[in-house]
Amino acid sequence: MNELTLILLLTLFAGACIPLGGLLGYFESIRPRWLENELRHAIIAFGGGILVAAVALVLVPEGKEYVQHDLRSVLIFLAGGVFFFMMERFLGLKRREKPQFTAMLLDYLPESLALGGAFALGSPTAPLLALFIGLQNLPEGFNAYRELVVQPGSSKRKILGFMLLLALLGPIIGLLGYTYFAESEVLLGAVMLFASGGILYLIFQDIAPQSRMQHHWAPPLGAVLGFCLGLLGQSLVTS
């Protein structure tokens, strides 16, 4: 299997987890009601744990290695957080806040770009990054669907159709990363760090607060489980 085929397959896998998560949200209906609510919050926390793992274990270490300048790395990371803050602020002023959908969209696209670039540079963590993207897209797709479907005038089929198109966008973005980052380690590292800063902002702004339930303490364990899964994935790749 050549490298381009592998990139297409892995980015398609990662993207396909978005509509798959949406389908789980479409069919998900659990009784009693309190169990359904607790499961949804646990899934939000699990997605947050995977995002933290992706940032801590792949994006930041790889990004710093490619940039090779500590202060510059910090500034790029900070710029990512500020940019994502401004995006959320803009959406809030327009009254278009959809935290789960926004988080899914804003982290999926730069990560797919970074994934293609990681393959271009022969990074050994590229398959692990693809796994992280897929694992986080599954709960994000689930929660984004549940968030969008309650909006006035929403259509279940249109939401799932849009998620499918978004999944197909991943391989295109990945190929762009593979093409344009092949000879630019610094640019790839900058994208990784920029995305990391934005993802960390989204975790604490949108995802972590929604994982909590009043008088329920189990859902945040989903974040711990998500990070543990990330650690396991890293150990499998590096062993």
Side-chain angles (χ1 to χ4, degrees):
M1 183 183 299
N2 62 51
E3 198 168 57
L4 281 177
T5 302
L6 183 60
I7 293 172
L8 287 173
L9 288 176
L10 287 177
T11 51
L12 192 59
F13 153 77
C17 289
I18 294 176
L20 181 58
L23 279 174
L24 292 175
Y26 179 86
F27 291 111
E28 185 266 349
S29 181
I30 301 175
R31 296 294 182 270
R33 183 69 178 176
W34 66 267
L35 182 58
E36 180 177 335
N37 287 333
E38 190 153 345
L39 175 64
R40 183 170 184 269
H41 283 74
I43 291 174
I44 291 174
F46 178 80
I50 291 291
L51 284 169
V52 171
V55 169
L57 302 178
V58 178
L59 293 173
V60 168
E62 290 270 316
K64 288 183 65 179
E65 182 179 344
Y66 291 141
V67 172
Q68 295 185 345
H69 192 287
D70 289 341
L71 180 58
R72 191 178 301 155
S73 297
V74 171
L75 291 176
I76 295 171
F77 184 89
L78 178 61
V82 172
F83 176 79
F84 278 49
F85 156 74
M86 292 173 65
M87 286 290 295
E88 286 239 314
R89 179 66 175 167
F90 173 78
L91 293 173
L93 292 174
K94 298 291 183 179
R95 297 184 179 179
R96 294 176 182 174
E97 290 177 299
K98 298 177 179 64
Q100 294 299 317
F101 175 77
T102 301
M104 179 184 71
L105 188 62
L106 291 181
D107 62 51
Y108 173 55
L109 297 181
E111 281 180 340
S112 296
L113 193 64
L115 177 60
F119 272 107
L121 296 176
S123 170
T125 61
L128 179 61
L129 181 57
L131 178 63
F132 281 163
I133 296 173
L135 288 175
Q136 76 191 43
N137 281 343
L138 190 64
E140 284 184 339
F142 174 90
N143 291 310
Y145 174 85
R146 297 298 298 273
E147 180 181 67
L148 293 173
V149 78
V150 298
Q151 300 294 320
S154 63
S155 167
K156 295 180 179 180
R157 289 186 178 181
K158 286 183 179 180
I159 294 172
L160 291 175
F162 178 77
M163 286 184 168
L164 183 60
L165 289 175
L166 190 59
L168 296 176
L169 187 60
I172 298 174
I173 299 295
L175 287 176
L176 286 175
Y178 180 83
T179 302
Y180 291 103
F181 291 163
E183 299 179 0
S184 181
E185 290 189 358
V186 174
L187 184 58
L188 174 60
V191 170
M192 287 181 163
L193 291 167
F194 189 86
S196 297
I199 290 169
L200 193 64
Y201 169 79
L202 291 174
I203 289 171
F204 284 95
Q205 171 65 17
D206 297 326
I207 297 174
Q210 291 198 56
S211 70
R212 292 188 67 253
M213 289 180 69
Q214 197 70 21
H215 306 303
H216 291 268
W217 296 270
L221 282 176
V224 178
L225 292 174
F227 193 83
C228 287
L229 194 59
L231 288 173
L232 179 61
Q234 187 196 40
S235 66
L236 290 175
V237 170
T238 57
S239 61

